[in-house]
Amino acid sequence: MLKEYGFKASFYICGELIDTNHPEYCTWEEIKALNASGLADIGNHTYSLHGKAKDELETYYRVNFDDALADINKNRDVIIFQY
């Protein structure tokens, strides 16, 4: 549909879900194909913080900023490694 209508999509990758082959998420090969298609931008979400509830996550970021930043950087490195 993206190609048909001339749209581009953004996908923010949660590395842990990809690395653990979560059945509802793309594989690294599918993500690479999306990126190569020119129809998608691939962005960095987090590696494993996405499972926290919103209110818990907001508190976590304030209290554990260094850990949250390390998780985001880990995901960046995982994404870069795939390409």
Side-chain angles (χ1 to χ4, degrees):
M1 286 181 66
L2 294 173
K3 194 174 194 178
E4 181 180 344
Y5 291 102
F7 290 125
K8 195 170 189 177
S10 296
F11 297 88
Y12 291 89
I13 306 302
C14 298
E16 184 178 53
L17 294 173
I18 309 303
D19 284 345
T20 58
N21 299 314
H22 194 286
E24 296 178 11
Y25 290 83
C26 295
T27 65
W28 284 116
E29 291 304 316
E30 292 168 329
I31 293 167
K32 287 178 194 177
L34 279 169
N35 188 54
S37 74
L39 299 173
D41 289 320
I42 305 301
N44 183 1
H45 192 278
T46 59
Y47 187 78
S48 63
L49 296 180
H50 53 276
K52 296 184 180 294
K54 182 180 178 188
D55 57 338
E56 180 186 4
L57 192 55
E58 289 173 1
T59 301
Y60 182 89
Y61 279 144
R62 279 196 293 289
V63 174
N64 303 295
F65 180 78
D66 290 339
D67 291 341
L69 185 59
D71 188 78
I72 293 166
N73 287 337
K74 176 181 180 176
N75 201 53
R76 177 203 59 210
D77 294 344
V78 167
I79 292 169
I80 290 170
F81 175 76
Q82 293 299 322
Y83 295 95

